[in-house]
PDB file of all heavy atoms in Angstrom:
ATOM      1  N   THR A1272      -2.031 -10.310   1.516  1.00 83.00           N
ATOM      2  CA  THR A1272      -0.817  -9.483   1.439  1.00 83.00           C
ATOM      3  C   THR A1272       0.446 -10.285   1.604  1.00 83.00           C
ATOM      4  O   THR A1272       1.544  -9.821   1.274  1.00 83.00           O
ATOM      5  CB  THR A1272      -0.936  -8.395   2.539  1.00 83.00           C
ATOM      6  OG1 THR A1272      -1.074  -9.013   3.769  1.00 83.00           O
ATOM      7  CG2 THR A1272      -2.047  -7.417   2.189  1.00 83.00           C
ATOM      8  N   HIS A1273       0.368 -11.517   2.127  1.00 80.00           N
ATOM      9  CA  HIS A1273       1.467 -12.458   2.081  1.00 80.00           C
ATOM     10  C   HIS A1273       2.836 -11.857   2.573  1.00 80.00           C
ATOM     11  O   HIS A1273       3.870 -12.122   1.912  1.00 80.00           O
ATOM     12  CB  HIS A1273       1.579 -13.152   0.764  1.00 80.00           C
ATOM     13  CG  HIS A1273       0.530 -14.078   0.392  1.00 80.00           C
ATOM     14  ND1 HIS A1273       0.272 -15.245   0.942  1.00 80.00           N
ATOM     15  CD2 HIS A1273      -0.605 -13.874  -0.483  1.00 80.00           C
ATOM     16  CE1 HIS A1273      -0.777 -15.805   0.496  1.00 80.00           C
ATOM     17  NE2 HIS A1273      -1.365 -14.964  -0.366  1.00 80.00           N
ATOM     18  N   SER A1274       2.873 -11.192   3.670  1.00 80.00           N
ATOM     19  CA  SER A1274       4.071 -10.658   4.295  1.00 80.00           C
ATOM     20  C   SER A1274       4.845  -9.735   3.429  1.00 80.00           C
ATOM     21  O   SER A1274       6.074  -9.589   3.537  1.00 80.00           O
ATOM     22  CB  SER A1274       4.962 -11.847   4.689  1.00 80.00           C
ATOM     23  OG  SER A1274       4.374 -12.685   5.659  1.00 80.00           O
ATOM     24  N   HIS A1275       4.197  -9.081   2.482  1.00 79.00           N
ATOM     25  CA  HIS A1275       4.869  -8.175   1.549  1.00 79.00           C
ATOM     26  C   HIS A1275       5.039  -6.838   2.168  1.00 79.00           C
ATOM     27  O   HIS A1275       4.274  -5.898   1.832  1.00 79.00           O
ATOM     28  CB  HIS A1275       4.233  -8.101   0.182  1.00 79.00           C
ATOM     29  CG  HIS A1275       4.404  -9.295  -0.650  1.00 79.00           C
ATOM     30  ND1 HIS A1275       5.605  -9.527  -1.401  1.00 79.00           N
ATOM     31  CD2 HIS A1275       3.632 -10.359  -0.836  1.00 79.00           C
ATOM     32  CE1 HIS A1275       5.468 -10.712  -2.004  1.00 79.00           C
ATOM     33  NE2 HIS A1275       4.347 -11.228  -1.668  1.00 79.00           N
ATOM     34  N   PHE A1276       5.974  -6.714   3.182  1.00 80.00           N
ATOM     35  CA  PHE A1276       6.220  -5.424   3.833  1.00 80.00           C
ATOM     36  C   PHE A1276       6.848  -4.433   2.846  1.00 80.00           C
ATOM     37  O   PHE A1276       6.558  -3.289   2.943  1.00 80.00           O
ATOM     38  CB  PHE A1276       7.254  -5.631   4.988  1.00 80.00           C
ATOM     39  CG  PHE A1276       6.564  -6.241   6.167  1.00 80.00           C
ATOM     40  CD1 PHE A1276       6.450  -7.677   6.297  1.00 80.00           C
ATOM     41  CD2 PHE A1276       6.077  -5.436   7.228  1.00 80.00           C
ATOM     42  CE1 PHE A1276       5.827  -8.201   7.447  1.00 80.00           C
ATOM     43  CE2 PHE A1276       5.470  -5.947   8.302  1.00 80.00           C
ATOM     44  CZ  PHE A1276       5.400  -7.377   8.434  1.00 80.00           C
ATOM     45  N   LEU A1277       7.675  -4.917   1.973  1.00 81.00           N
ATOM     46  CA  LEU A1277       8.362  -4.036   0.986  1.00 81.00           C
ATOM     47  C   LEU A1277       7.712  -4.120  -0.330  1.00 81.00           C
ATOM     48  O   LEU A1277       7.183  -5.142  -0.723  1.00 81.00           O
ATOM     49  CB  LEU A1277       9.861  -4.468   0.960  1.00 81.00           C
ATOM     50  CG  LEU A1277      10.612  -4.541   2.321  1.00 81.00           C
ATOM     51  CD1 LEU A1277      11.989  -5.091   2.095  1.00 81.00           C
ATOM     52  CD2 LEU A1277      10.652  -3.136   2.911  1.00 81.00           C
ATOM     53  N   PRO A1278       7.835  -3.057  -1.099  1.00 81.00           N
ATOM     54  CA  PRO A1278       7.305  -3.077  -2.542  1.00 81.00           C
ATOM     55  C   PRO A1278       8.029  -4.029  -3.403  1.00 81.00           C
ATOM     56  O   PRO A1278       9.261  -4.353  -3.114  1.00 81.00           O
ATOM     57  CB  PRO A1278       7.600  -1.600  -2.989  1.00 81.00           C
ATOM     58  CG  PRO A1278       7.798  -0.793  -1.817  1.00 81.00           C
ATOM     59  CD  PRO A1278       8.420  -1.741  -0.698  1.00 81.00           C
ATOM     60  N   SER A1279       7.413  -4.559  -4.361  1.00 81.00           N
ATOM     61  CA  SER A1279       8.053  -5.499  -5.285  1.00 81.00           C
ATOM     62  C   SER A1279       8.155  -4.854  -6.624  1.00 81.00           C
ATOM     63  O   SER A1279       7.262  -4.157  -7.058  1.00 81.00           O
ATOM     64  CB  SER A1279       7.157  -6.758  -5.384  1.00 81.00           C
ATOM     65  OG  SER A1279       7.001  -7.419  -4.190  1.00 81.00           O
ATOM     66  N   PRO A1280       9.202  -5.121  -7.342  1.00 82.00           N
ATOM     67  CA  PRO A1280       9.400  -4.509  -8.673  1.00 82.00           C
ATOM     68  C   PRO A1280       8.317  -5.235  -9.673  1.00 82.00           C
ATOM     69  O   PRO A1280       8.068  -6.349  -9.619  1.00 82.00           O
ATOM     70  CB  PRO A1280      10.837  -4.896  -9.076  1.00 82.00           C
ATOM     71  CG  PRO A1280      11.263  -6.009  -8.146  1.00 82.00           C
ATOM     72  CD  PRO A1280      10.342  -5.917  -6.942  1.00 82.00           C
ATOM     73  N   GLU A1281       7.897  -4.372 -10.587  1.00 81.00           N
ATOM     74  CA  GLU A1281       7.011  -4.896 -11.678  1.00 81.00           C
ATOM     75  C   GLU A1281       7.702  -4.826 -13.003  1.00 81.00           C
ATOM     76  O   GLU A1281       8.629  -4.157 -13.217  1.00 81.00           O
ATOM     77  CB  GLU A1281       5.770  -3.967 -11.720  1.00 81.00           C
ATOM     78  CG  GLU A1281       4.776  -4.155 -10.652  1.00 81.00           C
ATOM     79  CD  GLU A1281       3.467  -3.298 -10.883  1.00 81.00           C
ATOM     80  OE1 GLU A1281       3.603  -2.306 -11.651  1.00 81.00           O
ATOM     81  OE2 GLU A1281       2.497  -3.585 -10.250  1.00 81.00           O
ATOM     82  N   ALA A1282       7.151  -5.562 -13.938  1.00 80.00           N
ATOM     83  CA  ALA A1282       7.667  -5.456 -15.278  1.00 80.00           C
ATOM     84  C   ALA A1282       7.422  -4.034 -15.792  1.00 80.00           C
ATOM     85  O   ALA A1282       6.417  -3.448 -15.575  1.00 80.00           O
ATOM     86  CB  ALA A1282       6.972  -6.414 -16.205  1.00 80.00           C
ATOM     87  N   GLY A1283       8.403  -3.437 -16.439  1.00 79.00           N
ATOM     88  CA  GLY A1283       8.274  -2.062 -16.949  1.00 79.00           C
ATOM     89  C   GLY A1283       8.836  -1.071 -15.987  1.00 79.00           C
ATOM     90  O   GLY A1283       8.814   0.193 -16.170  1.00 79.00           O
ATOM     91  N   GLY A1284       9.370  -1.510 -14.891  1.00 79.00           N
ATOM     92  CA  GLY A1284      10.160  -0.585 -14.001  1.00 79.00           C
ATOM     93  C   GLY A1284       9.361   0.007 -12.789  1.00 79.00           C
ATOM     94  O   GLY A1284       9.958   0.659 -11.971  1.00 79.00           O
ATOM     95  N   GLY A1285       8.088  -0.268 -12.681  1.00 79.00           N
ATOM     96  CA  GLY A1285       7.308   0.215 -11.607  1.00 79.00           C
ATOM     97  C   GLY A1285       7.451  -0.669 -10.310  1.00 79.00           C
ATOM     98  O   GLY A1285       8.146  -1.634 -10.382  1.00 79.00           O
ATOM     99  N   GLN A1286       6.618  -0.335  -9.264  1.00 80.00           N
ATOM    100  CA  GLN A1286       6.639  -1.078  -8.127  1.00 80.00           C
ATOM    101  C   GLN A1286       5.197  -1.373  -7.717  1.00 80.00           C
ATOM    102  O   GLN A1286       4.333  -0.512  -7.992  1.00 80.00           O
ATOM    103  CB  GLN A1286       7.429  -0.455  -6.999  1.00 80.00           C
ATOM    104  CG  GLN A1286       8.857  -0.377  -7.164  1.00 80.00           C
ATOM    105  CD  GLN A1286       9.585   0.288  -5.983  1.00 80.00           C
ATOM    106  OE1 GLN A1286       8.976   0.968  -5.134  1.00 80.00           O
ATOM    107  NE2 GLN A1286      10.871  -0.030  -5.839  1.00 80.00           N
ATOM    108  N   SER A1287       4.948  -2.431  -6.961  1.00 77.00           N
ATOM    109  CA  SER A1287       3.648  -2.609  -6.426  1.00 77.00           C
ATOM    110  C   SER A1287       3.846  -3.285  -4.987  1.00 77.00           C
ATOM    111  O   SER A1287       4.793  -3.770  -4.686  1.00 77.00           O
ATOM    112  CB  SER A1287       2.851  -3.633  -7.270  1.00 77.00           C
ATOM    113  OG  SER A1287       3.398  -4.914  -7.235  1.00 77.00           O
ATOM    114  N   GLY A1288       2.758  -3.063  -4.253  1.00 79.00           N
ATOM    115  CA  GLY A1288       2.768  -3.659  -2.852  1.00 79.00           C
ATOM    116  C   GLY A1288       3.540  -2.778  -1.910  1.00 79.00           C
ATOM    117  O   GLY A1288       3.976  -1.698  -2.160  1.00 79.00           O
ATOM    118  N   GLY A1289       3.764  -3.388  -0.682  1.00 86.00           N
ATOM    119  CA  GLY A1289       4.419  -2.733   0.294  1.00 86.00           C
ATOM    120  C   GLY A1289       3.453  -2.140   1.388  1.00 86.00           C
ATOM    121  O   GLY A1289       2.447  -1.533   1.010  1.00 86.00           O
ATOM    122  N   TYR A1290       3.732  -2.234   2.673  1.00 88.00           N
ATOM    123  CA  TYR A1290       2.867  -1.866   3.647  1.00 88.00           C
ATOM    124  C   TYR A1290       2.724  -0.328   3.755  1.00 88.00           C
ATOM    125  O   TYR A1290       1.711   0.249   4.125  1.00 88.00           O
ATOM    126  CB  TYR A1290       3.265  -2.456   5.023  1.00 88.00           C
ATOM    127  CG  TYR A1290       2.722  -3.801   5.214  1.00 88.00           C
ATOM    128  CD1 TYR A1290       2.529  -4.693   4.164  1.00 88.00           C
ATOM    129  CD2 TYR A1290       2.431  -4.307   6.486  1.00 88.00           C
ATOM    130  CE1 TYR A1290       2.011  -5.952   4.386  1.00 88.00           C
ATOM    131  CE2 TYR A1290       2.003  -5.631   6.696  1.00 88.00           C
ATOM    132  CZ  TYR A1290       1.785  -6.465   5.656  1.00 88.00           C
ATOM    133  OH  TYR A1290       1.324  -7.686   5.843  1.00 88.00           O
ATOM    134  N   THR A1291       3.871   0.394   3.433  1.00 88.00           N
ATOM    135  CA  THR A1291       3.753   1.808   3.477  1.00 88.00           C
ATOM    136  C   THR A1291       2.813   2.397   2.421  1.00 88.00           C
ATOM    137  O   THR A1291       2.012   3.346   2.613  1.00 88.00           O
ATOM    138  CB  THR A1291       5.146   2.544   3.356  1.00 88.00           C
ATOM    139  OG1 THR A1291       5.792   2.050   2.194  1.00 88.00           O
ATOM    140  CG2 THR A1291       5.950   2.242   4.556  1.00 88.00           C
ATOM    141  N   ARG A1292       2.866   1.773   1.228  1.00 89.00           N
ATOM    142  CA  ARG A1292       1.961   2.145   0.148  1.00 89.00           C
ATOM    143  C   ARG A1292       0.542   1.839   0.532  1.00 89.00           C
ATOM    144  O   ARG A1292      -0.422   2.653   0.317  1.00 89.00           O
ATOM    145  CB  ARG A1292       2.282   1.416  -1.164  1.00 89.00           C
ATOM    146  CG  ARG A1292       3.511   1.927  -1.777  1.00 89.00           C
ATOM    147  CD  ARG A1292       3.926   0.987  -2.987  1.00 89.00           C
ATOM    148  NE  ARG A1292       4.891   1.654  -3.733  1.00 89.00           N
ATOM    149  CZ  ARG A1292       4.735   1.933  -5.030  1.00 89.00           C
ATOM    150  NH1 ARG A1292       3.699   1.539  -5.692  1.00 89.00           N
ATOM    151  NH2 ARG A1292       5.641   2.544  -5.652  1.00 89.00           N
ATOM    152  N   LEU A1293       0.331   0.734   1.145  1.00 90.00           N
ATOM    153  CA  LEU A1293      -0.996   0.317   1.578  1.00 90.00           C
ATOM    154  C   LEU A1293      -1.525   1.237   2.621  1.00 90.00           C
ATOM    155  O   LEU A1293      -2.651   1.698   2.560  1.00 90.00           O
ATOM    156  CB  LEU A1293      -0.987  -1.090   2.136  1.00 90.00           C
ATOM    157  CG  LEU A1293      -2.314  -1.663   2.742  1.00 90.00           C
ATOM    158  CD1 LEU A1293      -3.454  -1.632   1.755  1.00 90.00           C
ATOM    159  CD2 LEU A1293      -2.082  -3.076   3.315  1.00 90.00           C
ATOM    160  N   TYR A1294      -0.747   1.566   3.551  1.00 93.00           N
ATOM    161  CA  TYR A1294      -1.106   2.500   4.653  1.00 93.00           C
ATOM    162  C   TYR A1294      -1.529   3.953   4.044  1.00 93.00           C
ATOM    163  O   TYR A1294      -2.476   4.491   4.448  1.00 93.00           O
ATOM    164  CB  TYR A1294       0.020   2.779   5.692  1.00 93.00           C
ATOM    165  CG  TYR A1294      -0.287   3.690   6.767  1.00 93.00           C
ATOM    166  CD1 TYR A1294      -1.320   3.349   7.749  1.00 93.00           C
ATOM    167  CD2 TYR A1294       0.279   4.935   6.860  1.00 93.00           C
ATOM    168  CE1 TYR A1294      -1.580   4.209   8.756  1.00 93.00           C
ATOM    169  CE2 TYR A1294      -0.084   5.834   7.826  1.00 93.00           C
ATOM    170  CZ  TYR A1294      -0.981   5.452   8.777  1.00 93.00           C
ATOM    171  OH  TYR A1294      -1.323   6.346   9.820  1.00 93.00           O
ATOM    172  N   THR A1295      -0.719   4.366   3.126  1.00 93.00           N
ATOM    173  CA  THR A1295      -1.033   5.715   2.423  1.00 93.00           C
ATOM    174  C   THR A1295      -2.424   5.615   1.734  1.00 93.00           C
ATOM    175  O   THR A1295      -3.267   6.524   1.991  1.00 93.00           O
ATOM    176  CB  THR A1295       0.045   6.038   1.404  1.00 93.00           C
ATOM    177  OG1 THR A1295       1.297   6.072   2.100  1.00 93.00           O
ATOM    178  CG2 THR A1295      -0.242   7.357   0.712  1.00 93.00           C
ATOM    179  N   LEU A1296      -2.749   4.518   1.033  1.00 93.00           N
ATOM    180  CA  LEU A1296      -3.989   4.332   0.409  1.00 93.00           C
ATOM    181  C   LEU A1296      -5.096   4.241   1.406  1.00 93.00           C
ATOM    182  O   LEU A1296      -6.190   4.893   1.152  1.00 93.00           O
ATOM    183  CB  LEU A1296      -4.004   3.113  -0.471  1.00 93.00           C
ATOM    184  CG  LEU A1296      -3.076   3.215  -1.723  1.00 93.00           C
ATOM    185  CD1 LEU A1296      -3.042   1.844  -2.434  1.00 93.00           C
ATOM    186  CD2 LEU A1296      -3.568   4.250  -2.756  1.00 93.00           C
ATOM    187  N   LEU A1297      -4.907   3.472   2.509  1.00 95.00           N
ATOM    188  CA  LEU A1297      -5.990   3.436   3.515  1.00 95.00           C
ATOM    189  C   LEU A1297      -6.315   4.797   4.118  1.00 95.00           C
ATOM    190  O   LEU A1297      -7.399   5.159   4.299  1.00 95.00           O
ATOM    191  CB  LEU A1297      -5.536   2.443   4.617  1.00 95.00           C
ATOM    192  CG  LEU A1297      -5.453   0.989   4.183  1.00 95.00           C
ATOM    193  CD1 LEU A1297      -4.914   0.166   5.276  1.00 95.00           C
ATOM    194  CD2 LEU A1297      -6.844   0.484   3.847  1.00 95.00           C
ATOM    195  N   GLU A1298      -5.244   5.536   4.421  1.00 96.00           N
ATOM    196  CA  GLU A1298      -5.392   6.903   5.038  1.00 96.00           C
ATOM    197  C   GLU A1298      -6.169   7.849   4.090  1.00 96.00           C
ATOM    198  O   GLU A1298      -7.054   8.627   4.540  1.00 96.00           O
ATOM    199  CB  GLU A1298      -4.068   7.496   5.446  1.00 96.00           C
ATOM    200  CG  GLU A1298      -3.519   6.771   6.721  1.00 96.00           C
ATOM    201  CD  GLU A1298      -4.452   6.977   7.899  1.00 96.00           C
ATOM    202  OE1 GLU A1298      -4.690   8.106   8.292  1.00 96.00           O
ATOM    203  OE2 GLU A1298      -4.944   5.962   8.465  1.00 96.00           O
ATOM    204  N   ARG A1299      -5.892   7.788   2.807  1.00 96.00           N
ATOM    205  CA  ARG A1299      -6.488   8.637   1.829  1.00 96.00           C
ATOM    206  C   ARG A1299      -7.974   8.255   1.775  1.00 96.00           C
ATOM    207  O   ARG A1299      -8.851   9.171   1.719  1.00 96.00           O
ATOM    208  CB  ARG A1299      -5.935   8.468   0.415  1.00 96.00           C
ATOM    209  CG  ARG A1299      -4.627   9.157   0.288  1.00 96.00           C
ATOM    210  CD  ARG A1299      -4.045   8.976  -1.142  1.00 96.00           C
ATOM    211  NE  ARG A1299      -2.701   9.524  -1.223  1.00 96.00           N
ATOM    212  CZ  ARG A1299      -1.866   9.215  -2.255  1.00 96.00           C
ATOM    213  NH1 ARG A1299      -2.305   8.423  -3.214  1.00 96.00           N
ATOM    214  NH2 ARG A1299      -0.665   9.704  -2.248  1.00 96.00           N
ATOM    215  N   GLN A1300      -8.353   6.960   1.743  1.00 96.00           N
ATOM    216  CA  GLN A1300      -9.750   6.490   1.678  1.00 96.00           C
ATOM    217  C   GLN A1300     -10.402   6.847   2.962  1.00 96.00           C
ATOM    218  O   GLN A1300     -11.632   7.279   2.941  1.00 96.00           O
ATOM    219  CB  GLN A1300      -9.780   5.000   1.418  1.00 96.00           C
ATOM    220  CG  GLN A1300      -9.295   4.631   0.089  1.00 96.00           C
ATOM    221  CD  GLN A1300     -10.157   5.145  -1.032  1.00 96.00           C
ATOM    222  OE1 GLN A1300     -11.352   5.268  -0.973  1.00 96.00           O
ATOM    223  NE2 GLN A1300      -9.464   5.692  -2.034  1.00 96.00           N
ATOM    224  N   ARG A1301      -9.831   6.767   4.090  1.00 96.00           N
ATOM    225  CA  ARG A1301     -10.434   7.101   5.425  1.00 96.00           C
ATOM    226  C   ARG A1301     -10.751   8.673   5.409  1.00 96.00           C
ATOM    227  O   ARG A1301     -11.786   8.982   5.885  1.00 96.00           O
ATOM    228  CB  ARG A1301      -9.563   6.746   6.568  1.00 96.00           C
ATOM    229  CG  ARG A1301      -9.473   5.236   6.783  1.00 96.00           C
ATOM    230  CD  ARG A1301      -8.498   4.934   7.884  1.00 96.00           C
ATOM    231  NE  ARG A1301      -8.313   3.490   8.064  1.00 96.00           N
ATOM    232  CZ  ARG A1301      -7.166   2.887   8.250  1.00 96.00           C
ATOM    233  NH1 ARG A1301      -6.059   3.547   8.387  1.00 96.00           N
ATOM    234  NH2 ARG A1301      -7.202   1.630   8.424  1.00 96.00           N
ATOM    235  N   ALA A1302      -9.845   9.366   4.921  1.00 96.00           N
ATOM    236  CA  ALA A1302     -10.010  10.862   4.933  1.00 96.00           C
ATOM    237  C   ALA A1302     -11.156  11.303   3.976  1.00 96.00           C
ATOM    238  O   ALA A1302     -11.818  12.286   4.254  1.00 96.00           O
ATOM    239  CB  ALA A1302      -8.743  11.598   4.573  1.00 96.00           C
ATOM    240  N   ALA A1303     -11.319  10.592   2.872  1.00 95.00           N
ATOM    241  CA  ALA A1303     -12.283  10.946   1.866  1.00 95.00           C
ATOM    242  C   ALA A1303     -13.681  10.361   2.200  1.00 95.00           C
ATOM    243  O   ALA A1303     -14.712  10.805   1.603  1.00 95.00           O
ATOM    244  CB  ALA A1303     -11.907  10.458   0.538  1.00 95.00           C
ATOM    245  N   ALA A1304     -13.763   9.421   3.054  1.00 94.00           N
ATOM    246  CA  ALA A1304     -15.051   8.780   3.432  1.00 94.00           C
ATOM    247  C   ALA A1304     -16.033   9.794   4.121  1.00 94.00           C
ATOM    248  O   ALA A1304     -15.644  10.464   4.955  1.00 94.00           O
ATOM    249  CB  ALA A1304     -14.804   7.553   4.246  1.00 94.00           C
ATOM    250  N   PRO A1305     -17.270   9.671   3.695  1.00 91.00           N
ATOM    251  CA  PRO A1305     -18.250  10.655   4.306  1.00 91.00           C
ATOM    252  C   PRO A1305     -18.666  10.225   5.689  1.00 91.00           C
ATOM    253  O   PRO A1305     -19.289  11.070   6.359  1.00 91.00           O
ATOM    254  CB  PRO A1305     -19.388  10.635   3.296  1.00 91.00           C
ATOM    255  CG  PRO A1305     -19.351   9.309   2.628  1.00 91.00           C
ATOM    256  CD  PRO A1305     -17.851   8.987   2.600  1.00 91.00           C
ATOM    257  N   GLY A1306     -18.512   8.989   6.051  1.00 91.00           N
ATOM    258  CA  GLY A1306     -18.982   8.531   7.328  1.00 91.00           C
ATOM    259  C   GLY A1306     -18.010   7.595   7.999  1.00 91.00           C
ATOM    260  O   GLY A1306     -16.817   7.671   7.705  1.00 91.00           O
TER     261      GLY A1306
END
């Protein structure tokens, strides 16, 4: 993750990375996990 606390701009106008995005994804996966 190389200290990427903040999202980085991507080609085409989108963004990637960022700890808040990562946290959101982790929470979604934890909530959906059966065990």
Side-chain angles (χ1 to χ4, degrees):
T1272 54
H1273 293 287
S1274 301
H1275 285 280
F1276 283 86
L1277 304 174
S1279 300
E1281 287 184 339
Q1286 291 183 340
S1287 66
Y1290 278 30
T1291 54
R1292 288 171 165 237
L1293 176 59
Y1294 179 71
T1295 300
L1296 292 172
L1297 291 173
E1298 286 299 300
R1299 285 182 187 164
Q1300 292 298 315
R1301 289 176 183 140

